[in-house]
């Protein structure tokens, strides 16, 4: 399906967040999807993923959640993020992640959801949220804070237990969305996966949670040395099935 794109500014309590949007170029309105990028932020590979998802009939909004530090890209990125530069870039990004507290992310989530759901191109009704890496945790926080609006949430190679066991239980207790979590093999062991899945069960959630064999953290990102083509393909299969069930 042919798509259109736009660069937008989202009003928030702390300023204006730059954002990228992709959506079908005809018909509509379309179901809304809030897509949190990984910690490297909005860049060509993220924009291409948003266009890919929009081509399946969705309005996809990708916010720069580090907008307080400046517009995208917040840190200088090479065209390809290889092993030789990855650690240095992560070193620049980690202080931003540490400063992006739960309180900050929830303020932003309110603004992002409000902006998405009031776009004229977005259909009335529930939305979905998806995220990558740190964005996966932000996606889960958004779903937890907006149970009446978020019908589906997905996270890929995301630190969903980043708030610790107690924080995880609090996070999941408010979620009503259907959940899909796609983990990198380097991020989870069978034991930690079983512990996470027990928490999902205890929360009474409808979910899928799986390890992508042979993958490392960041496997969906084609502009990094972590990229795994089979992992990306599986990610699309599971994400599209989830969105189709939740948003029709």
């Amino acid at each position: 399906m042919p798509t259109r794109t736009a660069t937008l500014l989202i009003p928030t309590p702390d300023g204006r967040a730059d954002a990228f949007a992709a959506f079908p170029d005809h018909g509509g309105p379309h179901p809304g999807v809030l897509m949190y990028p990984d910690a490297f932020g909005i860049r060509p590979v993220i924009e291409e993923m948003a266009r890919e998802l929009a081509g399946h009939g969705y309005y996809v909004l990708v916010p720069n959640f580090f907008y307080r530090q400046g517009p995208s890209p917040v840190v200088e990125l090479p065209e390809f993020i290889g092993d030789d530069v990855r650690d240095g870039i992560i070193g620049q990004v980690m202080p931003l992640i540490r400063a992006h507290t739960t309180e900050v992310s929830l303020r932003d989530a309110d603004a992002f959801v409000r902006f998405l759901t009031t776009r004229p191109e977005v259909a009335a009704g529930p939305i979905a949220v998806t995220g990558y890496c740190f964005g996966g945790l932000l996606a889960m926080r958004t779903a937890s804070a907006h149970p009446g609006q978020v019908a589906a949430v997905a996270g890929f190679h995301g630190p969903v237990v980043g708030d610790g066991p107690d924080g995880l239980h609090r996070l999941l207790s408010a979620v009503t969305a259907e959940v899909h979590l796609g983990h990198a093999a380097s991020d989870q062991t069978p034991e930690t996966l079983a512990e996470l899945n027990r928490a999902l069960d205890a929360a009474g959630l409808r979910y899928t949670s799986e390890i992508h064999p042979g993958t490392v953290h960041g496997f969906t990102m084609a502009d990094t040395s972590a990229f795994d083509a089979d992992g990306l393909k599986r990610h699309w299969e599971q994400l599209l099935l989830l969105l189709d069930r939740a948003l029709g």
Side-chain angles (χ1 to χ4, degrees), residues 118-237:
T118 55
R119 300 300 296 169
E121 305 92 343
V122 174
I127 63 168
V129 187
T130 186
Y132 303 88
C133 178
F134 182 55
L137 176 57
L138 299 183
M140 291 298 296
R141 287 175 178 170
T142 301
S144 181
H146 296 271
Q149 292 174 284
V150 179
V153 58
F156 298 92
H157 46 84
V160 292
V161 294
D163 294 326
D166 292 339
L168 175 65
H169 286 285
R170 286 194 300 272
L171 181 76
L172 297 179
S173 66
V175 173
T176 58
E178 182 178 352
V179 178
H180 174 75
L181 300 174
H183 311 285
S186 65
D187 291 343
Q188 295 278 358
T189 66
E191 293 74 24
T192 59
L193 179 66
E195 182 178 354
L196 171 59
N197 291 351
R198 283 195 293 271
L200 290 161
D201 285 331
L205 297 177
R206 182 183 179 188
Y207 73 92
T208 51
S209 175
E210 62 182 16
I211 293 174
H212 292 243
T215 59
V216 297
H217 184 80
F219 65 83
T220 60
M221 298 296 141
D223 64 347
T224 76
S225 53
F227 178 61
D228 184 277
D230 289 337
L232 178 65
K233 181 178 184 232
R234 175 68 176 172
H235 141 275
W236 282 124
E237 291 170 350

Side-chain angles (χ1 to χ4, degrees), residues 5 20 35 37-38 40-52 62 72-73 75 77-81 220-223:
T5 63
F20 177 84
M35 176 187 284
D38 61 1
F40 296 153
I42 302 171
R43 57 195 192 281
V45 71
I46 293 290
E47 292 173 357
E48 179 55 37
M49 293 173 78
R51 284 192 292 267
E52 172 72 20
V62 188
S72 300
V75 299
L77 298 172
E79 187 174 331
F80 182 78
I81 304 169
T220 60
M221 298 296 141
D223 64 347

Side-chain angles (χ1 to χ4, degrees), residues 38-41 65-66 69 74-77 85-101 132-135 137-138 141 157 159 162 187 217:
D38 61 1
F40 296 153
F65 48 78
F66 289 147
Q69 286 73 39
V74 175
V75 299
E76 186 175 350
L77 298 172
V85 298
R86 185 181 181 90
D87 287 349
I89 297 171
I90 290 175
Q92 296 178 66
V93 168
M94 283 307 298
L96 308 183
I97 292 175
R98 286 192 288 268
H100 203 82
T101 63
Y132 303 88
C133 178
F134 182 55
L137 176 57
L138 299 183
R141 287 175 178 170
H157 46 84
D187 291 343
H217 184 80

